[in-house]
Amino acid sequence: RRLRVVGDRNSRQPGLCVRPGLFRQRSVVVNVIAILAVALSFFGSPDGVAMLNAGVRSPEGWKRWEAINALGRVHDGHSLKALTPALESPSPRDRGEAALSRGHSGGADARALLMRVLDDPSEDVRWRACLALSAAGDAAVLPLLKAIAESDPAERVRKQAQKSIDKIERRPASGS
């Protein structure tokens, strides 16, 4: 069965198709595009991650943030690699959104990157990294979160680190 989300009905490619350059169109709701791109990726189409990569490079912040958030929900190696430039962006908002997305993706790679972001000069990025680590739920980060809860210069980051610690400690241990 063929499923068409957006694009040319005459396409000969089976499965999902997306019109190139969709992120550049102002009339399209970016949230819907991001959801469609995640759906494309879920069904194994390379178009989904490619479309989100285009969104990450958008000059408009809100388009970048939607694409960054969506990439964290794709859960494949290509999407995680695509988030790395956003974590190194000069924009604190881009770095913060990328940190949250990495938390959704979980795994050792995400944990290592988030732990590095906890040293970011931006309070907002550190706050989002703490939030993302609680979403990932990995007990291996507890010592680092405890250090942040005690010593981060920003009260809001210390509070989020403590909330993340509480959330991770309340989770049942895997395998029980």
Side-chain angles (χ1 to χ4, degrees):
R1 183 172 147 160
R2 292 175 68 161
L3 175 62
R4 294 272 168 224
V5 178
V6 176
D8 180 11
R9 291 182 193 211
N10 299 322
S11 173
R12 293 184 191 183
Q13 287 185 290
L16 301 169
C17 79
V18 173
R19 190 168 16 143
L22 212 45
F23 269 102
R24 290 189 298 257
Q25 297 180 8
R26 291 181 177 267
S27 63
V28 179
V29 178
V30 172
N31 233 354
V32 173
I33 295 169
I35 291 166
L36 294 175
V38 171
L40 284 169
S41 300
F42 177 77
F43 288 113
S45 169
D47 293 339
V49 173
M51 194 166 83
L52 291 172
N53 278 334
V56 170
R57 292 187 303 274
S58 172
E60 296 179 63
W62 61 277
K63 290 182 181 181
R64 284 194 314 275
W65 304 325
E66 288 297 332
I68 289 168
N69 283 320
L71 277 168
R73 296 178 189 336
V74 174
H75 303 291
D76 73 1
H78 299 295
S79 64
L80 294 180
K81 287 177 190 169
L83 283 172
T84 302
L87 283 165
E88 297 166 355
S89 168
S91 163
R93 176 74 187 261
D94 288 1
R95 294 191 312 271
E97 292 296 331
L100 282 176
S101 288
R102 289 301 283 230
H104 290 298
S105 64
D109 290 342
R111 180 181 64 236
L113 230 89
L114 287 170
M115 289 171 69
R116 194 176 81 206
V117 173
L118 287 169
D119 289 333
D120 195 277
S122 168
E123 172 185 330
D124 190 53
V125 174
R126 295 190 314 274
W127 180 86
R128 288 171 188 257
C130 289
L131 183 63
L133 284 167
S134 73
D138 189 346
V141 301
L142 285 173
L144 182 57
L145 283 172
K146 288 177 181 179
I148 290 167
E150 293 172 5
S151 64
D152 193 274
E155 179 182 2
R156 149 179 182 212
V157 176
R158 292 192 305 270
K159 285 182 177 181
Q160 183 56 54
Q162 188 58 54
K163 286 180 184 177
S164 297
I165 292 165
D166 296 342
K167 184 176 179 180
I168 292 169
E169 288 179 338
R170 280 194 310 266
R171 281 201 179 119
S174 59
S176 35

